[in-house]
Amino acid sequence: MIIEAKNIVTKFGNKIIHNGVSFHIKKGEIYGLLGGSGSGKTTLLREMILLQKPTQGEMIVLGKNISKLTTQEENELRLRWGVLFQFGALFTSITVLENVMLPLKEYTKLPDFFIEELAFLKLQMVGLSKESAYLYPSQLSGGMKKRAALARALVLDPEVLFLDEPTSGLDPSSARAFDKLILQLREFLDITIVIVTHDKDTIANVLDRFIILGDSKVQAEGSLENLKKTNLKLIEQFLE
Ligand SMILES: Nc1ncnc2c1ncn2[C@@H]1O[C@H](COP(=O)(O)OP(=O)(O)OP(=O)(O)O)[C@@H](O)[C@H]1O
Ligand SMILES: [Mg+2]
């Protein structure tokens, strides 16, 4: 098991965001966190990557109970995943290449020429050309920005990749190309992928299993195929 959430409760003040949320994510899965706006998807993701502490419950990520870690263990764990945030987050004052090189510069002692090679490799992996490496984020299309951020998330060879709304804001053809890329990455990299999404095509074509959050609880859990058999009404409502 790569991630296990057990009875997660999250409160902001007296507002209850999660009230006993449980699920598990297996190695190699592409797992979806679904739910309406404000249902707590991003918050749940932030809890998995140590940016937010659940109020109650247990979150086990890569075999570690995240509430019981020393600072050093936390820092070690942070290097084992990559994250693509909901609202991009490339540094705008440096080039795409420099953005992708950044984590390697910060966390490894590799020589610069080698870091550059690795960064180019990751850019190639996400479908960005050598020329685009020298552009600044403002010179990229939305789809290219997402790819660049993805290359940066992959540069430390993570075991888990977290993607928050990766296709939102993209035109349909870029969105479908990004879906394809996600599937390819799983195939080639032996990686587990957790995706927050409300994109119907992504849900149908990319996710192995997912949860639907609503009313602070897990309203449904499983594959689209199984949920259509057992919970068709909810699925239809949700995908409407
Ligand atoms: N740090 C915080 N302090 C207070 N309230 C917060 C905080 N973070 C999130 N919330 C609230 O928690 C709720 C869930 O937010 P979250 O961002 O997890 O939703 P979401 O499902 O990702 O929504 P969206 O689809 O719009 O991205 C929202 O009502 C939000 O205002
Ligand atoms: Mg969100």
Side-chain angles (χ1 to χ4, degrees):
M1 220 65 79
I2 293 288
I3 294 171
E4 275 182 275
K6 295 180 191 165
N7 270 312
I8 296 293
V9 175
T10 308
K11 294 181 190 166
F12 292 118
N14 52 16
K15 206 156 105 186
I16 299 180
I17 309 299
H18 307 123
N19 192 7
V21 167
S22 302
F23 59 91
H24 64 273
I25 303 177
K26 294 181 254 185
K27 188 168 187 319
E29 266 191 314
I30 304 184
Y31 199 88
L33 307 178
L34 279 48
S37 189
S39 61
K41 306 179 296 293
T42 297
T43 303
L44 200 53
L45 188 143
R46 286 169 57 83
E47 288 172 347
M48 292 180 215
I49 58 174
L50 303 174
L51 291 178
Q52 182 105 40
K53 284 218 152 62
T55 313
Q56 274 174 52
E58 247 178 36
M59 185 73 85
I60 296 164
V61 181
L62 293 164
K64 313 270 183 199
N65 186 332
I66 59 157
S67 64
K68 293 183 176 154
L69 300 178
T70 63
T71 307
Q72 171 160 3
E73 286 173 322
E74 281 188 11
N75 289 338
E76 282 167 12
L77 197 54
R78 282 178 216 273
L79 297 180
R80 296 174 64 190
W81 59 63
V83 189
L84 180 62
F85 288 101
Q86 187 165 6
F87 300 105
L90 290 167
F91 294 102
T92 53
S93 61
I94 55 176
T95 64
V96 167
L97 181 64
E98 288 165 331
N99 263 284
V100 179
M101 287 170 67
L102 214 56
L104 287 166
K105 284 199 161 174
E106 206 170 329
Y107 297 111
T108 75
K109 294 193 173 86
L110 297 168
D112 275 1
F113 78 92
F114 198 69
I115 287 181
E116 195 172 296
E117 276 310 303
L118 288 174
F120 272 121
L121 195 73
K122 288 303 194 277
L123 285 167
Q124 193 182 14
M125 198 178 271
V126 301
L128 288 176
S129 68
K130 215 155 187 169
E131 292 74 55
S132 56
Y134 298 104
L135 298 177
Y136 287 85
S138 63
Q139 297 171 304
L140 302 181
S141 70
M144 287 166 85
K145 268 185 207 155
K146 296 263 184 183
R147 283 169 191 262
L150 185 61
R152 194 178 59 187
L154 288 170
V155 84
L156 295 173
D157 293 325
E159 292 161 66
V160 194
L161 185 61
F162 295 95
L163 309 172
D164 196 350
E165 303 274 8
T167 61
S168 80
L170 299 185
D171 63 80
S173 89
S174 305
R176 301 299 62 88
F178 202 90
D179 280 350
K180 231 179 179 170
L181 176 60
I182 294 170
L183 287 168
Q184 282 171 349
L185 289 177
R186 190 254 303 266
E187 196 179 326
F188 297 136
L189 297 180
D190 189 30
I191 199 170
T192 305
I193 305 178
V194 183
I195 310 182
V196 173
T197 187
H198 63 255
D199 184 319
K200 288 182 194 98
D201 291 288
T202 305
I203 295 168
N205 300 325
V206 178
L207 303 181
D208 295 318
R209 292 191 303 136
F210 55 82
I211 52 173
I212 301 178
L213 292 173
D215 292 332
S216 313
K217 301 237 178 224
V218 174
Q219 298 295 332
E221 200 268 340
S223 67
L224 184 59
E225 205 184 14
N226 276 333
L227 287 173
K228 275 183 175 165
K229 283 184 204 146
T230 57
N231 220 333
L232 186 62
K233 231 187 190 152
L234 183 89
I235 289 292
E236 278 178 340
Q237 249 173 19
F238 181 76
L239 291 178
E240 237 165 46

